[in-house]
């Protein structure tokens, strides 16, 4: 059994490691995204009474092997696994964290969420809160720029992605990403506290989109 001093040492070392790896990212998945998710996850964890070590470790490691960013793109959490092994994390904690990381990501509007445990639901809510609101808007455009996407094309309609394959291969505009994912999140939150925070951020995105289309002049398009 890992004692509290060991737990804190592992979490501090993990934060430092993730910070080094993700510091230079310009796709909206930099260290400060991880930091915000970590902080929000702790807040939700306190309200929900979940296993805090699992929640913190999963929050810190959740994007290290992201399919959108990892070169192989297959989403297998090999870096997270290697790190936890090197830190001597107990196998039941390690397996739980790996399961959360694998199932956390949004995989398309029509794809069911398979997150299974309270700890997973908390980290997923914390990650989703960072995808919406003012920060979410900023991250979406950072990601679009990073991937060479158009901000908006009034002639291109949003798509409904029934499978992960369709979602993953999509090259759509950032404005369409709001309709394909970001605006859907508020109704897909897992925890009450997460749902409350999501409402406010959702309203801000709606206001942003209304203003964006008004300035663009395609409100009736
Ligand atoms: P998830 O694992 O659910 O995708 P992440 O923490 O990896 O969550 O962050 C996803 C963020 O990346 C989105 O919220 C968005 O800001 C950005 N993103 C992903 N796909 C797109 C896209 N097609 N267009 C614009 N932004 C995107
Ligand atoms: Ni994330």
């Amino acid at each position: 059994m890992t004692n509290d001093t060991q737990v804190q040492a592992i979490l501090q070392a993990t934060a430092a490691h993730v910070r080094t790896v993700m510091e230079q990212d310009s796709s909206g998945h930099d260290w400060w995204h991880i930091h915000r998710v970590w902080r929000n996850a702790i807040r939700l964890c306190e309200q929900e009474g979940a296993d805090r070590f699992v929640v913190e470790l999963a929050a810190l490691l959740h994007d290290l092997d992201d399919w959108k960013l990892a070169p192989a793109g297959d989403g297998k959490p090999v870096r997270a696994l290697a790190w936890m092994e090197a830190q001597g994390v107990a196998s039941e904690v390690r397996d739980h964290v790996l399961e959360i990381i694998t199932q956390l990501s949004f995989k398309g509007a029509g794809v069911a969420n398979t997150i299974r445990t309270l700890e997973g639901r908390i980290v997923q809510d914390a990650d989703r809160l960072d995808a919406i609101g003012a920060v979410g808007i900023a991250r979406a455009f950072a990601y679009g720029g990073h991937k060479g996407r158009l901000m908006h094309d009034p002639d291109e309609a949003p798509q409904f992605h029934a499978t992960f394959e369709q979602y993953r291969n999509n090259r759509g505009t950032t404005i369409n990403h709001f309709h394909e994912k970001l605006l859907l999140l508020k109704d897909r939150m897992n925890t009450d506290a997460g749902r409350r925070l999501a409402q406010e951020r959702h309203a801000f995105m709606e206001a942003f989109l209304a203003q964006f289309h008004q300035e663009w002049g395609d409100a009736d398009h």
Side-chain angles (χ1 to χ4, degrees):
M1 196 63 200
T2 319
N3 71 35
D4 199 50
T5 316
Q6 286 169 308
V7 161
Q8 288 316 317
I10 292 172
L11 290 173
Q12 286 317 310
T14 304
H17 171 67
V18 171
R19 183 173 191 149
T20 309
V21 175
M22 305 186 91
E23 195 125 56
Q24 302 300 321
D25 173 276
S26 60
S27 73
H29 296 79
D30 56 283
W31 159 248
W32 292 111
H33 163 62
I34 307 302
H35 189 265
R36 291 187 301 269
V37 172
W38 185 21
R39 195 191 49 198
N40 279 336
I42 290 172
R43 200 177 300 160
L44 294 176
C45 187
E46 281 166 353
Q47 301 188 25
E48 298 284 327
D51 182 326
R52 186 153 160 172
F53 186 39
V54 169
V55 165
E56 289 196 54
L57 256 189
L60 284 167
L61 294 170
H62 85 273
D63 271 337
L64 217 47
D65 297 286
D66 192 286
W67 60 269
K68 296 188 290 310
L69 311 165
D74 60 5
K76 287 206 184 69
V78 286
R79 295 196 211 175
L81 171 60
W83 174 257
M84 287 190 285
E85 276 177 350
Q87 294 298 304
V89 173
S91 63
E92 69 270 18
V93 171
R94 205 180 59 206
D95 291 348
H96 191 177
V97 169
L98 291 176
E99 179 189 322
I100 294 174
I101 294 173
T102 313
Q103 303 189 342
L104 193 74
S105 236
F106 185 84
K107 300 204 167 62
V111 183
N113 187 9
T114 54
I115 212 94
R116 191 179 60 83
T117 63
L118 176 61
E119 287 74 18
R121 292 197 286 273
I122 286 172
V123 181
Q124 187 173 58
D125 273 10
D127 193 31
R128 290 182 165 179
L129 284 171
D130 210 54
I132 60 178
V135 168
I137 293 169
R139 290 183 68 224
F141 286 100
Y143 183 91
H146 182 78
K147 292 279 180 184
R149 308 271 169 86
L150 270 185
M151 288 198 299
H152 178 46
D153 178 352
D155 293 330
E156 205 185 295
Q159 293 170 33
F160 178 84
H161 300 119
T163 66
F164 179 44
E165 210 47 36
Q166 288 172 8
Y167 179 69
R168 174 191 187 124
N169 294 333
N170 153 57
R171 302 269 318 147
T173 68
T174 300
I175 287 294
N176 280 347
H177 188 64
F178 283 80
H179 300 281
E180 291 161 355
K181 173 186 175 187
L182 308 182
L183 293 169
L184 308 178
L185 295 180
K186 86 159 171 25
D187 292 330
R188 299 184 183 205
M189 300 299 286
N190 303 301
T191 65
D192 288 342
R195 205 167 296 121
R196 268 196 306 277
L197 291 164
Q199 307 279 352
E200 205 179 294
R201 296 182 187 206
H202 181 88
F204 188 83
M205 288 195 298
E206 296 267 29
F208 166 79
L209 287 171
Q211 176 80 15
F212 184 97
H213 288 298
Q214 191 198 326
E215 290 178 16
W216 190 287
D218 69 345
D220 304 318
H221 194 81

